[in-house]
Amino acid sequence: MTSAGTAVGAPADIGEGRARGLTALLTTAMAFSMMQLFLLGALGPRLVDRLGVSESVLGLTTTVGFGTAAVLSPVGGRLVDRVGPRRALVALLALSAVALGLIGAASGSGLLLVAVALGGLPQALANPATNKAILASVPASRRGAVTGTKQSGVQLGAFVAGLPLAVAASAIGWRGAVWVAAGAALIAALWAWRGLPADAAPPPKGATSGPGRSRPGGPVPWLAAFSLFLGAGIASVNTYLALFGSRRLDMGPTVAGALVAVLGVAGIAGRVGWSRAATPGRAPWLPGMLAGGAVGAAVLLATAVHVALLVWMGAVAVGVFAVSGNAVSMVLVMQRSAPGRAGQDSALVAAGFFAGFAVGPPLFGFLAERGRYGEGWVLVAVEFAVAAAVAFAWAVRDRRTCADGPR
């Protein structure tokens, strides 16, 4: 087994100040990589009412964005391994700004779908680029904590979309709120350009040296399958939670948007905490455990149809369990990746996650248009249960492989 410390060497300790700066930048990049889709979820009631998009089109935005990200992720991983994390992160943030600007300019579903398709590009770069930056700069003993914090950036984006930007939309309109986010993404791109060390020169074309090969029986295909079902459930929650609160539980748009913010805060805490707990001996079992907890979260949302207050508990539980599963899977990738394959392996797992995000919301949207939210949350519970089964199957297989001898 390739350890985290030997996957790309053992970087010297970069010091507390630089480590905090790097962690903050990577967290910001993760937040912007999916900001456009969180905004569409949080602003869903306003978009349905004022832009004239249907519930199905709202779900289709997620499908288009994550479908693009799933298709491009393998290419993005190879690109990051070649050009380096600094160039990739600057491109990620600049593309996020353009996508957000186009969303703010949309007058109908056509340009909206073009914008979210463009937003799939930064999503495809996010995990490979940030993981590569960690492996290049952070000692092995600190990678779990840094990874959990930067993965929580996705949920930071959910919080920002669900609370401050949703509140701003009440004051300056939903377009103004989206344009504010676009401007912030451009500032973050400049920060990445100035704050990260220069990338090494890419290897010449035709060079014989290259990334190592993935070990047969390793976790990447299993984690990709786990992430497919986990992503399908999480995407349905992200896309329809605010609309569920508004349409079924009679919440105002701002309060309904706050549900997304609550999920985001819980996800931040969960991703940081569970990633710190993901030591090499414990990490293989955590994805299945977290997906199992996510089943209970979906059941709470289904019960909220009858007991509205449970929606808040369900939002917290989705953040603590379901959302945290993706962060732990990325820790596993870095612990197990062969030398030079961190970007590609991260991208393959992310591709499974993004594919789940593409297929989950349309299935839920079919039920939401008919007012069958309770059945939709049951579908989410089934998706989480399948993810748990896949994760536990790999963990058992991995334990048996370890018992047979060293890898």
Side-chain angles (χ1 to χ4, degrees), residues 43-388:
L43 300 177
R46 291 181 170 91
L47 294 174
V48 170
D49 293 338
R50 300 175 191 176
L51 199 58
V53 301
S54 68
E55 285 88 344
S56 293
V57 170
L58 187 64
L60 187 59
T61 61
T62 301
T63 299
V64 170
F66 283 101
T68 304
V71 170
L72 294 179
S73 281
V75 176
R78 291 193 294 270
L79 180 66
V80 171
D81 280 336
R82 182 170 181 83
V83 306
R86 182 191 187 213
R87 296 184 185 96
L89 285 167
V90 171
L92 180 164
L93 290 162
L95 287 167
S96 295
V98 173
L100 287 165
L102 289 176
I103 290 173
S107 58
S109 59
L111 185 55
L112 193 66
L113 293 174
V114 170
V116 296
L118 179 63
L121 296 174
Q123 291 169 238
L125 294 172
N127 282 299
T130 54
N131 287 354
K132 192 85 170 178
I134 290 171
L135 287 169
S137 303
V138 180
S141 61
R142 302 174 65 177
R143 287 176 189 160
V146 175
T147 300
T149 302
K150 70 95 175 173
Q151 289 294 131
S152 74
V154 175
Q155 302 317 121
L156 176 63
F159 171 79
V160 171
L163 192 59
L165 287 177
V167 172
S170 300
I172 61 177
W174 71 267
R175 295 183 191 276
V178 174
W179 285 329
V180 166
L186 283 177
I187 294 172
L190 179 61
W191 178 18
W193 182 255
R194 294 177 63 88
L196 289 173
D199 295 312
K205 291 184 178 181
T208 56
S209 61
R213 299 183 64 183
S214 292
R215 179 179 59 83
V220 170
W222 292 86
L223 289 175
F226 160 78
S227 298
L228 171 68
F229 291 98
L230 187 77
I234 293 174
S236 297
V237 177
N238 287 344
T239 304
Y240 287 104
L241 183 60
L243 199 63
F244 172 58
S246 174
R247 292 293 175 86
R248 190 62 186 268
L249 304 182
D250 297 323
M251 296 177 173
T254 301
V255 176
L259 284 170
V260 180
V262 167
L263 187 156
V265 171
I268 291 171
R271 286 189 163 191
V272 172
W274 288 115
S275 294
R276 287 177 181 270
T279 59
R282 187 184 297 153
W285 297 99
L286 286 181
M289 293 171 57
L290 294 174
V295 174
V299 171
L300 285 173
L301 293 177
T303 309
V305 172
H306 306 290
V307 184
L309 285 177
L310 291 179
V311 72
W312 298 98
M313 295 176 59
V316 170
V318 169
V320 170
F321 295 109
V323 169
S324 302
N326 179 247
V328 172
S329 69
M330 287 299 160
V331 174
L332 267 167
V333 167
M334 285 192 284
Q335 290 174 351
R336 300 294 186 91
S337 286
R341 281 198 59 94
Q344 295 181 50
D345 287 350
S346 299
L348 291 172
V349 174
F353 193 60
F354 296 150
F357 266 66
V359 301
L363 297 175
F364 194 103
F366 176 82
L367 298 170
E369 280 201 333
R370 291 155 178 79
R372 296 158 61 182
Y373 281 98
E375 294 174 38
W377 299 129
V378 171
L379 173 62
V380 169
V382 171
E383 291 163 346
F384 288 151
V386 175

